[in-house]
Amino acid sequence: MAFDPSIFKAYDVRGIYPTQLDATVARAIGQAFVAEVEPKTVAVGHDVRASGPELYEALIDGLTAAGANVIKIGGISTEQLYFAVAHFGYDSGICVTASHNPGEYNGFKMVKKGSEPISGNSGLEAIRDRVERLMATPVTASVKGEISEQDAFPAYKEFILSFIDTSKLKPMTVVTNANFGYQGQFAARVLESLPITLSQLNAEPDGTFPKGRPDPFVPENRDEFVAKIKAEQPDFGVAWDADADRAFFATGDGIFLEAYYMNAILAQALLAKQPGEKVIYDVRYTWAVIDAVTAAGGEPIPCRVGSSFIKQALREHNALFCGESSGHYYFRDYFYCDTGMLPFLLILELLSTTGKTLNELAGDLLSKYVVSGEINRTVEDSAAIIEQLKAKYADATTIDETDRLTIEYNRDWRFNVRTSNTEPLLRLNVEANSQQLMQAKRDELLALIGGNA
């Protein structure tokens, strides 16, 4: 097949199987990875997707043909790939995954030593540029790399549980939605022998994703999860995307919480244990996190949206934590990486030690910091629209271009509008101090932006 360079995105590789990404492309990507990164060892795993095993084996064939040794860690969550590379000291790692994309997609997330990300500006484009010629003329190293296998889960479980005091956990029931990924099984194994009862939804791994796109960030994908919570009245609910590098929470009475509010809750909980630390926040929504971090004695630091920017900022500032509004939670002590399991465990601990419900912890945040949720519009000229918005709101208290355009009017209302790093979209987020004002400004902005939903 002809190589389609568009499968190389800002942070990873994603394409439709088998029209854009097949075994031939996977093998060439493995060879290009070795040529560019020059690793001696590469840890390789895959998520639940039906095409995963084929691409996994082809990738490994390319890596070993180019001379790298491969440690096969099998079916995993992406966070376990990050753990294995950093914890065991491997030179690099690749997870075969397309994250929350529909089942016909697959791809690769790549890291260097220490699980430092490989993204567009740190090697991914160079790997892309090597792939086409390696498809035409594959290389064979003088000494082919060796293959070994490792079960990383026992060490991962011990490590992830070390973040909380398990002796303080009180009996709780949690509704979970693994969206047919492996995380339902992993969560049960992490929590076995602890006083937590899981009422699981879509926990049986199925890489065809029979209920559609495995992404709790999409509002229409939340209904089944919320309905189960309302029916069962657990202590709270947690949902993961297919590769479990994101987590989303709901209160015990079925209120789905924007990740923004969880960012503030988790930041305060972490700062209570490690006061005075720095916390990174993305510019989509800000006030709740700024206030929570400041009240807890921490230092809030803004950052552009996107995993590579956030991981770079975490390292640069040696920051404790970042919660991204898309549901990624990054921790310095988890190798500056995102994990969907750790925020879940921290909430279990927080509810146990405070005696509060998640609804009580979130209540003031929901009423004080009102947000629109991310709204996407397909438009013909996003740059021109952003310039029009900048001119329209030139009288704003704050005009910031850290990430495209952020406009603020004191603590009354604000918005951020930016182009997507992974899709041809304009993304809008609005925050205000009341529901009425948020809705009015949201509708005003959407009328100015136009485009298609």
Side-chain angles (χ1 to χ4, degrees):
M1 67 183 295
F3 172 57
D4 181 355
S6 71
I7 65 174
F8 279 74
K9 311 298 184 183
Y11 313 124
D12 55 25
V13 178
R14 296 188 202 185
I16 296 173
Y17 171 89
T19 55
Q20 291 180 300
L21 178 58
D22 65 0
T24 302
V25 177
R27 189 174 294 108
I29 287 174
Q31 296 200 333
F33 182 88
V34 175
E36 182 63 29
V37 180
E38 299 182 342
K40 293 181 179 178
T41 58
V42 187
V44 184
H46 63 85
D47 75 7
V48 72
R49 290 167 190 277
S51 59
E54 178 187 350
L55 298 180
Y56 175 70
E57 295 298 339
L59 174 71
I60 290 169
D61 185 53
L63 293 167
T64 55
N69 296 322
V70 169
I71 298 91
K72 298 174 72 171
I73 54 177
I76 56 168
S77 58
T78 295
E79 66 179 289
Q80 289 180 47
L81 186 278
Y82 300 151
F83 166 79
V85 172
H87 180 78
F88 296 116
Y90 300 136
D91 296 320
S92 59
I94 304 175
C95 189
V96 182
T97 178
S99 190
H100 54 270
N101 282 51
E104 64 269 24
Y105 282 80
N106 216 322
F108 307 100
K109 292 183 179 180
M110 306 175 183
V111 294
K112 296 182 282 190
K113 196 172 186 66
S115 284
E116 186 175 348
I118 297 174
S119 55
N121 59 359
S122 61
L124 197 58
E125 292 177 357
I127 293 170
R128 177 200 63 198
D129 294 343
R130 293 177 182 270
V131 170
E132 188 165 19
R133 63 177 179 269
L134 285 167
M135 285 177 64
T137 310
V139 299
T140 301
S142 56
V143 178
K144 189 174 181 178
E146 297 180 353
I147 298 174
S148 59
E149 297 185 6
Q150 179 168 31
D151 180 4
F153 185 82
Y156 160 79
K157 176 181 175 178
E158 180 181 4
F159 182 75
I160 202 80
L161 285 173
S162 72
F163 284 85
I164 65 170
D165 185 345
T166 56
S167 70
K168 293 182 178 179
L169 293 185
K170 295 180 179 179
M172 272 186 273
T173 299
V174 184
V175 166
T176 68
N177 183 3
N179 279 289
F180 299 102
Y182 291 130
Q183 192 76 337
Q185 295 183 347
F186 291 139
R189 292 173 64 188
V190 166
L191 294 171
E192 61 186 354
S193 78
L194 296 174
I196 309 299
T197 301
L198 300 182
S199 178
Q200 296 199 318
L201 178 68
N202 304 324
E204 189 64 30
D206 186 342
T208 67
F209 306 121
K211 295 180 181 176
R213 182 183 177 107
D215 184 4
F217 194 51
V218 179
E220 53 268 30
N221 289 353
R222 304 170 185 174
D223 294 345
E224 181 186 30
F225 173 56
V226 169
K228 185 174 177 68
I229 292 172
K230 288 181 176 179
E232 298 184 9
Q233 296 289 298
D235 290 278
F236 68 97
V238 60
W240 296 281
D241 62 350
D243 73 328
D245 61 353
R246 296 187 300 160
F248 300 85
F249 293 85
T251 64
D253 55 357
I255 299 173
F256 191 96
L257 297 173
E258 290 283 343
Y260 175 46
Y261 303 119
M262 299 305 303
N263 298 342
I265 291 168
L266 287 166
Q268 281 207 315
L270 290 162
L271 286 166
K273 295 181 177 183
Q274 297 173 268
E277 296 278 6
K278 298 173 181 176
V279 171
I280 305 296
Y281 64 92
D282 80 58
V283 298
R284 280 174 281 201
Y285 304 125
T286 65
W287 292 337
V289 177
I290 291 171
D291 291 350
V293 171
T294 302
E299 179 183 348
I301 298 173
C303 181
R304 288 183 62 182
V305 175
S307 62
S308 63
F309 301 116
I310 288 171
K311 290 177 179 180
Q312 180 181 348
L314 283 164
R315 284 179 162 85
E316 179 183 341
H317 296 283
N318 194 33
L320 177 65
F321 169 70
C322 176
E324 196 176 8
S325 297
S326 56
H328 289 274
Y329 301 94
Y330 306 82
F331 300 83
R332 177 182 63 202
D333 298 331
Y334 197 81
F335 317 109
Y336 302 98
C337 291
D338 39 335
T339 155
M341 188 71 77
L342 183 49
F344 171 46
L345 296 178
L346 290 170
I347 292 300
L348 288 173
E349 182 185 49
L350 183 62
L351 299 189
S352 295
T353 55
T354 63
K356 294 184 178 181
T357 67
L358 189 53
N359 206 326
E360 289 171 332
L361 290 172
D364 289 344
L365 297 172
L366 293 171
S367 60
K368 187 176 181 180
Y369 309 97
V370 183
V371 300
S372 63
E374 188 158 87
I375 303 168
N376 297 311
R377 288 291 183 267
T378 303
V379 297
E380 289 191 8
D381 191 344
S382 59
I385 291 171
I386 289 173
E387 287 303 312
Q388 290 167 11
L389 294 175
K390 183 178 177 182
K392 165 73 174 176
Y393 299 104
D395 63 338
T397 309
T398 301
I399 300 174
D400 183 83
E401 296 181 80
T402 298
D403 198 344
R404 297 305 286 171
L405 180 65
T406 299
I407 295 289
E408 292 193 9
Y409 285 84
N410 295 315
R411 274 300 184 96
D412 295 327
W413 72 283
R414 65 184 298 279
F415 74 89
N416 171 262
V417 63
R418 59 183 232 287
T419 51
S420 168
N421 290 312
T422 57
E423 300 173 84
L425 298 170
L426 198 62
R427 302 193 189 279
L428 172 69
N429 293 273
V430 185
E431 182 172 10
N433 60 18
S434 73
Q435 184 72 24
Q436 182 178 7
L437 182 58
M438 186 281 291
Q439 290 176 340
K441 293 303 180 182
R442 175 199 63 195
D443 295 345
E444 175 181 300
L445 286 158
L446 289 174
L448 291 167
I449 291 169
N452 299 313

